[in-house]
Amino acid sequence: MSRTHGPDARAADVLVVGGGIIGLVTAWRAAQRGLATTVVDPAPGGGAAQVAAGMLAAVTELHYGEETLLGLNLESARRYPAFAAELAEATGLDLGYRQCGTLAVALDADDRAHLRDLHALQLRSGLESQWLSGRECRRLEPMLAPGVRGGLRVDGDHQIDPRRLAAALVAACERAGVIFHRVWAEELTVVRERATGVRTADGTALTAGQVVLAGGSLSGRLAGLPGDVLPPVRPVKGQVVRLAVPRPYAPFLSRTVRAVVRGSHVYLVPRENGELVVGATSEELGWDTTVTAGGVYELLRDAHELVPGITELPLTETRAGLRPGSPDNAPLLGPTGLDGLVLATGHYRNGVLLTPVTGDVLADVLTTGALPDLARDFSPRRFAAATARPATALSEQPA
Ligand code: GLY
């Protein structure tokens, strides 16, 4: 494919709608393959990554029925060290990537039974996970509550700072020659049954050989999308709080600690810079991004049961974001039934984890037209029968 534009031209080989981490990694990888690439987003580097804790938790976030997704998650986890090193090298930026491991703990007999089931599933799936007694858990993490009854040590589940990741991807895109249009994409343009570009909120017509829709939870809201290719993504609200561990940081937590408390997932992700991220609620409330007293209360209450010392820490931020949920909790990657339209969306709980593999898969799709084998189970065509409502403009979203 030939390069068809200079900095001010309106045509590109690839036009990516959405400048969150998934859109950015797609644009970066496409530009590296020699494709003239444009990203349309009013605030590139924003989106769900601004709220996410950044756990790379293929093993501790394993769920029954998601064994196919596990394969993609593990492949992306395997690619993370090289991906993070390449991105840091390309930009000179620190990504906050920590190969620190994760400890999933149980507080009562029900939690313990749940964790035993998870451990059995992990072992059946060939994953590395070690059962520890409560005492062994506290030896690893002395700030844990005395009541912790046992846990799973997973040394392969790491973390990255998603805000730093997003900033680095913007910088990498800029260095690779990606052009940013900082405006909303309003409507997909379709000519003779082929996606040809978008009309933006300022009335500009942008055209491209291929359009990648990477709008996260908003992906189904781009006007002009034919009903049979409308991605079935929905917003799943997550509230998160951030605390600050005063210097010296080291004695607080050395790795991610997580648990299921009264049926709700809670996790504490300690960064090297002292930030401690506590997440997350999971709420099916449409486009609502209100931080509620109840959400913050439950997170802090559950986190306090795990690590009582957190109540001493300054509370620095409360925030809510929207995960792009899909019907089977797995992403939609690759060509659609509409020529020229490719999807990279629906990453739900795993957007940060799946960033490296998504970039590689989409680069293959954009240069060869075909979905590589490792992603064939994630084709959007698996939902093709489910036609949906007509789309409304991407910009008609809550503040
Ligand atoms: N993967 C963590 C979350 O979605 O809350």
Side-chain angles (χ1 to χ4, degrees), residues 55 61 267 280 323 349:
M55 288 179 300
E61 285 213 355
Y267 43 80
R323 305 173 184 88
R349 293 187 310 267

Side-chain angles (χ1 to χ4, degrees), residues 121-204:
L121 179 61
Q122 290 168 337
L123 297 183
R124 277 201 306 279
S125 306
L127 303 172
E128 282 189 28
S129 172
Q130 183 191 0
W131 182 266
L132 300 183
S133 67
R135 182 174 301 177
E136 287 168 326
C137 290
R138 281 186 296 281
R139 203 174 298 138
L140 276 186
E141 296 296 339
M143 296 298 280
L144 282 174
V148 164
R149 306 272 292 259
L152 293 176
R153 176 178 176 165
V154 177
D155 289 343
D157 276 1
H158 304 309
Q159 61 151 303
I160 194 166
D161 183 336
R163 292 176 177 176
R164 289 172 182 245
L165 171 65
L169 284 169
V170 171
C173 282
E174 282 168 345
R175 283 172 199 206
V178 172
I179 294 169
F180 286 97
H181 288 273
R182 288 177 164 79
V183 63
W184 282 106
E186 286 283 337
E187 185 173 8
L188 183 75
T189 46
V190 179
V191 177
R192 286 190 289 279
E193 297 184 26
R194 182 177 179 88
T196 57
V198 295
R199 183 180 53 76
T200 64
D202 63 6
T204 307

